């Protein structure tokens, strides 16, 4: 391998939003640096499922049921 073409791969500490931390290897920073996360899998709605709700805004479901409620696949 050519020398000087690969980044320095070393140990750093990752500090999560809840205060817990762990060590991993990375090319970020310098040996022994601490990366403090603002968003991580324990706090972000994309990973935790969030509090999103499907709301019937403007009665869209009611309008759909009024328009297509009588349709069925059963034979008459």
């Amino acid at each position: 391998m050519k020398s000087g073409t690969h980044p320095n791969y070393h140990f750093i500490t990752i500090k999560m939003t809840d205060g817990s931390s762990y060590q991993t290897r990375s090319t970020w920073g310098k040996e022994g640096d601490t990366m403090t996360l603002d968003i991580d899998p324990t706090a972000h709605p994309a990973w935790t499922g969030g509090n999103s709700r499907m709301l019937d805004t403007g009665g869209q479901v009611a309008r759909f049921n009024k328009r297509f409620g009588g349709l069925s696949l059963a034979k008459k």
Side-chain angles (χ1 to χ4, degrees), residues 34-54:
T34 300
M35 178 187 286
T36 304
L37 301 178
D38 294 330
I39 298 172
D40 62 23
T42 62
H44 195 277
W47 291 294
T48 61
N51 293 331
S52 63
R53 296 182 190 122
M54 187 169 171

Side-chain angles (χ1 to χ4, degrees), residues 8 10 12 26-31 33:
N8 184 14
H10 50 270
I12 64 166
S26 175
T27 58
W28 179 86
K30 297 180 181 128
E31 179 79 30
D33 281 352

Side-chain angles (χ1 to χ4, degrees), residues 61-73:
V61 174
R63 276 188 284 145
F64 179 85
N65 288 334
K66 181 179 176 184
R67 189 169 178 188
F68 300 109
L71 296 177
S72 70
L73 297 175

